[in-house]
Amino acid sequence: MPLRPDTVAKIQDYARRYPSAQSAILPALWAVQYEQGYVTDEALAEVATHLKLPPSLIEATSSFYSMFLTRPEGRHEVMICVNAPCMLRGADAIVAYAEQRLGIRDGQTTSDGAITLRSTIECLGACGGAPMMQVDHRFEENLTPDRINAIFDHLRTAPAFHEQPPAEKKPARRTPTVSGEITRSGPSGARARTRKASK
Amino acid sequence: MGLKPVLTKDFGTEGLRQLDAYERTGGYAGYKKALSEIKPDDLVELVKKSGLRGRGGAGFPTGNKWSFLPKGMYPRYLVCNADESEPGCFKDRYLIEESPHQVLEGILIAAFAIGCNTAFIYIRGEYLPQYEALESAIEEATAAGYIGKNVLKSGFDVDVILHRGAGAYICGEETALLTSLEGYRGEPRLKPPFPAVKGLYGKPTVVNNVETVANLPHIVVNGADWFASMGTPTGKGTRVWCMSGHVNRPGNYELENGTPIRELIMEHGGGVWKNRRLKAFQPGGASMMVLLPEHLDVGLDFDAIQKAGSLAGAGAMVVMDETTCMVDAARRYVKFFHHESCGKCTPCREGTFWMSNLFDRFEFGEARPGDVDLLLDMGYNIDGRSFCPLGDASTWFPRSVIKYFRDEFEQHIAEKGCPFRKETEAAVAVA
Ligand SMILES: Cc1cc2nc3c(=O)[nH]c(=O)nc-3n(C[C@H](O)[C@H](O)[C@H](O)COP(=O)(O)O)c2cc1C
Ligand code: FES
């Protein structure tokens, strides 16, 4: 599937913005994933033509980075960190609870295509709010079973980001915070940004 | 000593993420002062005199780093390192989230000081809300004329490019970061040549951490002497400590350097949760060595923590209570390093793989007598033999745990499994 004209325009912009077009590879791949939900070989080849670089170079770079998906997954991605600081606050139990609630195992997608669940050893930068999860890259912290239920219920019906009507530019919202405390920075039931359901 | 909000002083102000509110708290006064009153070379001297040391991990004096740029070689680049991925660290996220303009102002001041016309921010891919906060700050600052050609009629041109990573801890290491920014796989490069001489696109480059640059507006406005009056003789100013684990109030706390660790954990953190006893804590993040309750009176300061046998690193504080399985904690960190090893050098790629396997043996009851020494042997063969500090650092926490808690490893062998597993209650009552 060829890239949409607006995505192509973005990629060409990136190529001009950097001192070297090669630096535009990561932003270009983000634009691809943002549009199509994952990065196909076909899209890699197209990025190569727009950046005027060999396809092998695009692939060499893209395969290094864990956030680019190579196959379709659920409309929403739920990531739970299980590194030591999160483990100390009960992350393992949260993973077990999420698995049971969704009826899937780590790495799987629910049968309705709504949610892909992943536990990760990569710290997601919310250790102070552990146990935590990232829902489509929005933070959810200090999780309780009730909160998890509410998040999952919302995701079951929420469309993936690219299927929503164009969002109006949201005001830069300040999260309520007490000095010295980390806050939940995502709106609850965060919107999907980068994933697309399997076709 | 104690709480000393400098960077976090205005956090909580309504609308601080927006330019007008930030300016009402005194924002961009430092940038304007620098542009109108201070020559770039004097700015470098000012930062040298302040004693500011990098907050990204290594604690290198910032002014000195800037002065290593070879004279007369242009273009020069500044890259603000917002890749924050060290397990236990979430201070840069907090600084960006609460006040993106403060970080941006610091970047602009640094760019002016070193004569850089194109500055970059490399932010980790997972920090999407933070990326958006910086993106809108850059838009606002551009509209206000702080970014662009001939800024405030000073003759200074500057552009800021926000670059999003895509999930690789190694890209926080400065040479890997530059390689990644150039569009390659994020593998580290040999030093020397240091980035100051041959960095981004082969040009002189400075890499500075988010918290480091966030200090600059305050140093410019209040002066080097004011900054140097805070902290310890070799660790000036404050640091934002991100505390996690078994404390009552985890979170970010900005403290004057030299404040005792006891105050951070017991007072600000509200002590160990559930009325349990403190078993150990770890300053600096996943890489750094574990310390014991007997070290509670050590000051939060690069040199003091190093003397106590650990490192202050990126300012994390992970607190562990008496129910913690130290073997399992080390196992998670080792798994992390294995997962994040870029694969360029053998000791790190293969060593972290084998260490991770061995840790699984301990945790799941398959460890054999002699395995503790095997683990130590692996550690010695990785540390100092890896291409970059990622491999070295993967061995520091496990080896320090063996030093202080060797009996727990032996217990895992004797009892064929984890003696803590059944006792550990879940932190959240899971339905
Ligand atoms: C494996 C590894 C990961 C690192 N990750 C980061 C990081 O996420 N953020 C950061 O500022 N520095 C990180 N550093 C340190 C950087 O290499 C560099 O020293 C720092 O960004 C310099 O900035 P400073 O002088 O302001 O501290 C890392 C170093 C290593 C070896
Ligand atoms: S260790 Fe889990 S978010 Fe940091």
Side-chain angles (χ1 to χ4, degrees):
Chain A
M1 189 179 32
L3 295 168
R4 280 198 321 247
D6 59 318
T7 306
V8 172
K10 262 197 238 167
I11 293 173
Q12 288 165 342
D13 263 2
Y14 294 138
R16 281 189 291 270
R17 179 119 179 77
Y18 288 88
S20 139
Q22 190 172 338
S23 288
I25 295 179
L26 288 194
L29 294 173
W30 275 123
V32 170
Q33 182 151 304
Y34 192 81
E35 185 205 305
Q36 305 198 332
Y38 59 104
V39 183
T40 58
D41 288 348
E42 196 187 337
L44 285 178
E46 204 183 329
V47 167
T49 41
H50 296 309
L51 297 182
K52 304 189 174 63
L53 293 168
S56 57
L57 184 60
I58 313 287
E59 186 175 354
T61 297
S62 82
S63 60
F64 186 81
Y65 299 91
S66 64
M67 289 178 80
F68 296 124
L69 303 179
T70 52
R71 57 192 167 87
E73 306 216 354
R75 283 200 307 281
H76 304 283
E77 184 187 53
V78 169
M79 290 242 274
I80 303 174
C81 165
V82 294
N83 207 321
C86 280
M87 169 196 92
L88 297 174
R89 306 286 293 197
D92 291 6
I94 291 293
V95 174
Y97 181 74
E99 284 184 342
Q100 177 231 318
R101 182 85 191 169
L102 296 173
I104 52 175
R105 300 300 302 270
D106 186 10
Q108 295 179 334
T109 301
T110 52
S111 54
D112 61 356
I115 300 172
T116 299
L117 179 69
R118 249 192 274 277
S119 71
T120 174
I121 198 71
E122 257 179 274
C123 165
L124 296 167
C127 339
M132 62 81 66
M133 56 171 65
Q134 267 205 324
V135 179
D136 300 322
H137 305 161
R138 307 277 155 184
F139 289 96
E140 294 286 348
E141 300 180 26
N142 300 309
L143 292 172
T144 59
D146 283 349
R147 180 74 200 132
I148 295 175
N149 296 349
I151 295 168
F152 287 171
D153 288 349
H154 173 80
L155 294 180
R156 289 283 187 185
T157 53
F161 180 77
H162 71 289
E163 288 162 351
Q164 294 179 1
E168 72 290 3
K169 193 125 177 112
K170 57 189 175 318
R173 207 173 61 93
R174 210 186 66 74
T175 40
T177 171
V178 190
S179 182
E181 278 181 22
I182 196 76
T183 55
R184 196 175 79 217
S185 64
S188 49
R191 289 174 315 163
R193 298 288 300 202
T194 55
R195 301 290 184 262
K196 190 181 167 188
S198 55
K199 281 270 152 63
Chain B
M1 302 290 137
L3 278 185
K4 186 103 187 179
V6 174
L7 307 184
T8 58
K9 175 169 55 69
D10 298 310
F11 286 13
T13 307
E14 188 61 37
L16 188 63
R17 286 185 186 179
Q18 274 126 341
L19 183 63
D20 49 351
Y22 178 65
E23 290 196 307
R24 275 200 299 279
T25 64
Y28 287 104
Y31 184 42
K32 287 178 194 160
K33 181 174 172 188
L35 288 178
S36 59
E37 294 174 23
I38 312 178
K39 285 204 287 291
D41 285 349
D42 295 340
L43 210 46
V44 176
E45 286 310 311
L46 178 82
V47 172
K48 264 194 202 168
K49 203 168 146 230
S50 75
L52 175 66
R53 291 171 68 176
R55 305 301 197 227
F60 197 83
T62 306
N64 292 13
K65 189 187 266 191
W66 292 359
S67 60
F68 291 156
L69 293 169
K71 296 258 170 295
M73 273 181 68
Y74 295 92
R76 295 168 166 184
Y77 295 111
L78 171 74
V79 183
C80 175
N81 189 344
D83 193 58
E84 185 169 73
S85 314
E86 176 88 9
C89 292
F90 46 95
K91 66 179 174 70
D92 295 343
R93 169 186 162 200
Y94 176 63
L95 292 170
I96 294 169
E97 207 164 280
E98 292 291 323
S99 186
H101 279 289
Q102 178 174 257
V103 176
L104 188 56
E105 185 183 357
I107 291 170
L108 295 171
I109 292 171
F112 177 66
I114 64 168
C116 146
N117 304 115
T118 311
F120 295 84
I121 306 174
Y122 189 107
I123 186 164
R124 69 180 292 194
E126 290 86 352
Y127 279 4
L128 183 59
Q130 293 67 26
Y131 174 92
E132 290 167 346
L134 283 170
E135 194 178 33
S136 69
I138 292 171
E139 270 172 34
E140 280 188 309
T142 307
Y146 295 148
I147 298 174
K149 297 251 177 266
N150 192 14
V151 176
L152 307 175
K153 306 201 173 55
S154 63
F156 175 56
D157 299 341
V158 68
D159 186 16
V160 179
I161 299 180
L162 180 59
H163 189 86
R164 189 173 172 209
Y169 164 71
I170 184 61
C171 294
E173 193 284 326
E174 57 187 7
T175 62
L177 184 151
L178 297 175
T179 317
S180 171
L181 191 47
E182 289 170 358
Y184 292 99
R185 299 168 72 82
E187 289 174 0
R189 307 174 184 167
L190 203 60
K191 292 193 274 193
F194 288 92
V197 177
K198 209 162 178 248
L200 189 61
Y201 310 120
K203 305 292 180 201
T205 303
V206 166
V207 180
N208 274 146
N209 170 257
V210 166
E211 187 184 351
T212 310
V213 298
N215 274 288
L216 298 173
H218 304 281
I219 293 174
V220 171
V221 169
N222 300 310
D225 292 338
W226 162 82
F227 189 81
S229 72
M230 295 181 291
T232 63
T234 54
K236 306 297 187 190
T238 66
R239 282 197 86 171
V240 180
W241 286 89
C242 12
M243 185 158 48
S244 60
H246 293 151
V247 281
N248 281 310
R249 288 191 297 275
N252 282 293
Y253 297 91
E254 185 176 6
L255 303 173
E256 184 170 354
N257 285 335
T259 304
I261 295 174
R262 182 187 301 280
E263 184 182 327
L264 172 63
I265 297 178
M266 297 305 172
E267 203 172 303
H268 306 301
V272 179
W273 73 349
K274 300 180 178 178
N275 291 317
R276 292 195 188 140
R277 273 181 314 163
L278 179 67
K279 180 172 191 173
F281 56 90
Q282 182 195 21
S287 307
M288 304 314 174
M289 304 77 168
V290 73
L291 293 178
L292 303 178
E294 67 193 61
H295 299 116
L296 273 176
D297 292 311
V298 170
L300 290 161
D301 166 63
F302 288 116
D303 298 345
I305 292 179
Q306 187 163 9
K307 236 177 94 194
S310 186
L311 291 164
M317 181 62 70
V318 185
V319 179
M320 300 167 190
D321 75 17
E322 56 193 323
T323 66
T324 310
C325 173
M326 301 306 292
V327 176
D328 199 14
R331 184 176 76 99
R332 311 258 171 158
Y333 286 143
V334 166
K335 285 208 169 301
F336 167 79
F337 286 111
H338 169 230
H339 185 261
E340 296 301 324
S341 173
C342 77
K344 178 173 178 135
C345 77
T346 312
C348 173
R349 182 187 63 238
E350 302 300 321
T352 53
F353 168 78
W354 285 110
M355 272 207 299
S356 167
N357 272 5
L358 198 49
F359 266 104
D360 281 345
R361 259 163 51 184
F362 277 101
E363 195 57 20
F364 301 117
E366 286 153 22
R368 298 183 285 258
D371 276 357
V372 188
D373 289 321
L374 182 57
L375 203 51
L376 283 173
D377 187 48
M378 284 178 188
Y380 294 131
N381 279 298
I382 300 170
D383 191 8
R385 290 168 174 77
S386 301
F387 188 84
C388 88
L390 189 151
D392 301 340
S394 75
T395 71
W396 297 345
F397 184 80
R399 282 156 69 200
S400 70
V401 169
I402 294 176
K403 177 168 141 204
Y404 293 124
F405 299 98
R406 191 175 174 123
D407 53 332
E408 278 186 28
F409 285 84
E410 304 294 356
Q411 213 182 337
H412 276 73
I413 301 172
E415 296 181 19
K416 297 207 180 313
C418 179
F420 291 87
R421 205 157 269 267
K422 41 201 172 297
E423 292 164 27
T424 315
E425 72 186 272
V428 169
V430 172

